[in-house]
Amino acid sequence: MKTRRVLAVLLQSTSAWNAYRHETDKSKRGKFLGPVIGKGILYLFIMAYLILMTIGYSSIGIGYQAPALCFLMISLMVFILAILKVNGYLFGCKDMDLLMALPLTSKQIMQARFLYMYVKDLPGVLVVSVAMQIGFGLIERPKFFTYIVWTVL
């Protein structure tokens, strides 16, 4: 319960939307829109590439392997990003002294920091999964149960 509360505070304090809402300086508020549009365009390009890649796999006869390829891509992406980010997310924060002064164990704080790291990676994971589901669904026409299992994985 306390881990979820710390995670919620971390997400709220570092969100761009929160900074946009509470910032009074117009130059800092103006810097909010660029990264949001940039990430949106990047996610659309990645989705288009993955949809076309899945359709291409189906055209050469290995479209049935799309769920396994999606799982492999997501697993590698999360693993590599975790290795690259873990030091910065766990120990590279300005408020570590403040977090450790809270009436929480260090285990709860580290759990919240790890969850924070994975929650921040979630949009990329969802882009890969949804795009490959769309491509797989357009060509292979699987049963509805396939989408439920794919989403859970």
Side-chain angles (χ1 to χ4, degrees):
M1 183 68 169
K2 291 180 181 180
T3 303
R4 274 192 283 164
R5 196 170 296 157
V6 173
L7 177 63
V9 167
L10 285 171
L11 287 171
Q12 186 177 9
S13 67
T14 60
S15 73
W17 175 248
N18 190 42
Y20 179 76
R21 253 186 1 191
H22 297 293
E23 186 61 48
T24 57
D25 188 14
K26 290 193 186 254
S27 66
K28 288 185 181 178
R29 286 186 75 168
K31 293 179 183 177
F32 168 74
L33 198 55
V36 171
I37 291 172
K39 282 183 183 179
I41 291 171
L42 178 68
Y43 288 155
L44 284 175
F45 282 148
I46 290 172
M47 284 186 78
Y49 173 75
L50 289 171
I51 289 170
L52 292 174
M53 184 182 75
T54 307
I55 292 171
Y57 284 151
S58 294
S59 70
I60 61 172
I62 59 171
Y64 63 93
Q65 293 290 338
L69 290 170
C70 180
F71 178 72
L72 178 69
M73 289 171 76
I74 289 173
S75 298
L76 286 174
M77 184 175 76
V78 169
F79 179 70
I80 290 170
L81 287 175
I83 288 174
L84 295 175
K85 291 181 176 182
V86 74
N87 191 27
Y89 275 109
L90 290 182
F91 305 112
C93 62
K94 300 173 189 172
D95 58 348
M96 194 61 158
D97 296 336
L98 181 65
L99 282 173
M100 293 310 245
L102 292 173
L104 302 170
T105 63
S106 59
K107 179 181 175 183
Q108 291 171 329
I109 293 171
M110 289 302 140
Q111 284 175 342
R113 302 292 284 179
F114 263 104
L115 284 172
Y116 174 75
M117 182 177 63
Y118 288 121
V119 167
K120 292 296 254 186
D121 288 342
L122 194 58
V125 169
L126 288 176
V127 164
V128 171
S129 181
V130 168
M132 291 193 79
Q133 280 183 25
I134 291 170
F136 187 70
L138 288 174
I139 299 299
E140 298 293 326
R141 306 269 187 222
K143 295 182 180 177
F144 184 73
F145 181 71
T146 305
Y147 297 111
I148 295 171
V149 172
W150 192 325
T151 304
V152 170
L153 290 177

